[in-house]
Amino acid sequence: MSDPAGPAAPGGAASPVSRAGLIGLSLGVAAAGAAAGVAIERLTLGRARRRARAELDAVAPFGSLRGRPRTVRAQDGTELYVEVEGPEAGESALTVVFCHGYCLNQDSFHFQRAALRADLRLVFWDQRSHGRSERSRSYLAGRPASIDQLGGDLKAVLDAVAPSGPIVLVGHSMGGMTVMALADQAPELFRDRVAGVALIGTMAGQWDSVTFGLPPVGSKVWRRVGPGVVKLLGSQVGLVEATRRIGADVSAVFYRRFSFGGGKAVDPAVARFAEQLLDGTPIDVVAEFYPAFGAHEKTAALAAMAELPVLVLAGTEDLITPATHSEAIARALPQAELVLVPGAGHLVLLECPAEVNRRLAALLGRSAEQAGGSLPAGVRELTRSANESPEEDSLPGA
């Protein structure tokens, strides 16, 4: 969570209070208490980094892929932004629907979109309050955000743009939770129409067990003060967003720490793209959804996927939704394929796109068989490479 999907808590803070502030910063918040460190950073490396960012922004194609736009109205009237690629409904054997994570938007699936868009019907959507979707009307009216509501939003998207035919649901982080919420609400859909599921860097419950890489004392402090810190920062939108801009050099360090693993070098353009996604989520949206994760418990809902092809994938160095949670999902779904990507972090779909795409293509092959259809040649080629030794993760941006 960049879905969680935003960065979370760093270790080594000087005190419980400053630790909580840094955790908030890593979730997309620039804490005012980091101002001194920001100033030092800007005096030394800030100018070079700003110049490098400008150069990357000018040439990087990430997030530039677009489909046919649609607006779908959720149950409470919130307008959800949707894009569709490929054939119209009913003209494709499979429709693949992508659900992004916390503090991200549909562009976080850039590499998967680039690999599959020429061959399949794809649906991407921005979860409420994220990306180009409208701010949640029910939240603005005083109703707390919930993962269950996101499951209802996904159902509205399917009814509008994929009302018939087999579907494959791909969820990253909070998006995976959204898929589980839909399974809880509409198990018959998974029996009758869902042909496969991919759950990437997500969890079925036990959010309070996540330590964010902190030592036991630090994680205990964060569990106690974190929700209040996020809520307070969410009430100070103007101050926090201004501080965010001033502290961009420091926040980039935390984004890197909690988005990616330490197992391999990350393309600077990809790291910059992740920063843009996370910075694009206002602090009050961060605060809107953070409490919802503690209430998420959908282990029982996984039963709706028991007879389906399922891919469960995570990075071994994910600090937001640790790989142990993916292992727990796989234990609940013994027929699922469990893939743990060595050295990868929470944004494994950006960090190791070739591996994610290979595994996703293999899932689509199994899903097509489940649906009694076949895959286009381009996806079959990706599928053939799924069991080969991974090569260096290097994919074109478009």
Side-chain angles (χ1 to χ4, degrees):
M1 301 169 235
S2 192
D3 275 317
S15 70
V17 174
S18 61
R19 182 183 295 114
L22 290 177
I23 294 170
L25 172 61
S26 72
L27 284 162
V29 178
V38 171
I40 294 172
E41 184 77 9
R42 289 175 69 85
L43 284 172
T44 54
L45 298 177
R47 182 175 299 174
R49 283 181 174 170
R50 289 194 298 275
R51 184 168 58 249
R53 284 194 185 103
E55 292 173 355
L56 291 171
D57 292 348
V59 301
F62 306 127
S64 62
L65 304 180
R66 300 267 66 90
R68 300 187 298 277
R70 291 280 304 271
T71 298
V72 174
R73 192 175 293 274
Q75 187 174 17
D76 68 344
T78 300
E79 294 186 348
L80 305 172
Y81 180 76
V82 181
E83 290 186 1
V84 181
E85 302 252 19
E88 294 295 341
E91 299 176 11
S92 176
L94 289 176
T95 297
V96 189
V97 183
F98 293 82
C99 308
H100 70 79
Y102 178 53
C103 297
L104 299 173
N105 62 47
Q106 62 178 265
D107 292 340
S108 61
F109 290 109
H110 175 86
F111 288 113
Q112 292 67 51
R113 190 172 194 158
L116 300 172
R117 68 194 311 236
D119 299 292
L120 287 170
R121 186 170 195 265
L122 310 179
V123 174
F124 300 88
W125 64 293
D126 292 338
Q127 303 233 40
R128 62 173 57 226
S129 297
H130 290 73
R132 296 172 177 84
S133 285
E134 186 182 19
R135 188 66 191 274
S136 173
R137 295 189 184 187
S138 59
Y139 181 79
L140 294 177
R143 177 184 169 190
S146 72
I147 304 299
D148 286 336
Q149 186 176 48
L150 300 182
D153 291 349
L154 175 55
K155 181 61 163 58
V157 170
L158 295 177
D159 288 345
V161 303
S164 61
I167 51 179
V168 176
L169 300 174
V170 180
H172 169 244
S173 194
M174 186 176 76
M177 298 178 186
T178 299
V179 173
M180 295 176 211
L182 177 62
D184 187 42
Q185 296 165 21
E188 71 284 353
L189 182 69
F190 285 71
R191 182 182 63 248
D192 298 338
R193 292 190 53 212
V194 176
V197 176
L199 300 172
I200 303 172
T202 190
M203 59 176 60
Q206 298 186 328
W207 167 249
D208 289 341
S209 70
V210 177
T211 67
F212 302 111
L214 288 168
V217 172
S219 61
K220 183 177 180 180
V221 168
W222 175 248
R223 282 195 295 272
R224 186 172 68 248
V225 306
V229 169
V230 174
K231 183 178 180 180
L232 175 62
L233 292 170
S235 69
Q236 303 294 323
V237 178
L239 174 63
V240 172
E241 295 301 332
T243 308
R244 226 180 188 179
R245 291 189 293 272
I246 295 171
D249 296 320
V250 169
S251 62
V253 174
F254 296 108
Y255 289 158
R256 173 65 178 80
R257 166 68 172 156
F258 292 95
S259 296
F260 305 109
K264 61 185 297 183
V266 177
D267 182 340
V270 172
R272 173 57 180 159
F273 178 46
E275 289 178 36
Q276 291 173 322
L277 290 171
L278 295 165
D279 276 336
T281 305
I283 182 56
D284 50 337
V285 174
V286 176
E288 175 183 339
F289 283 90
Y290 189 81
F293 302 121
H296 172 68
E297 175 47 66
K298 289 293 184 285
T299 302
L302 296 173
M305 310 175 194
E307 303 302 320
L308 298 175
V310 177
L311 168 66
V312 182
L313 185 146
T316 60
E317 295 189 21
D318 188 335
L319 298 179
I320 308 300
T321 52
T324 53
H325 289 271
S326 289
E327 292 173 330
I329 292 173
R331 285 195 296 272
L333 297 170
Q335 297 185 58
E337 178 189 19
L338 174 65
V339 177
L340 301 181
V341 183
H346 189 61
L347 294 187
V348 60
L349 65 172
L350 292 176
E351 187 175 7
C352 301
E355 176 66 4
V356 172
N357 289 357
R358 281 190 290 267
R359 299 296 182 171
L360 184 57
L363 171 70
L364 294 176
R366 297 192 299 274
S367 300
E369 292 178 5
Q370 177 89 2
S374 60
L375 286 177
V379 184
R380 288 201 303 273
E381 182 61 32
L382 273 176
T383 300
R384 280 193 290 270
S385 70
N387 294 320
E388 298 174 1
S389 298
E391 299 176 358
E392 185 68 21
D393 269 297
S394 178
L395 290 176

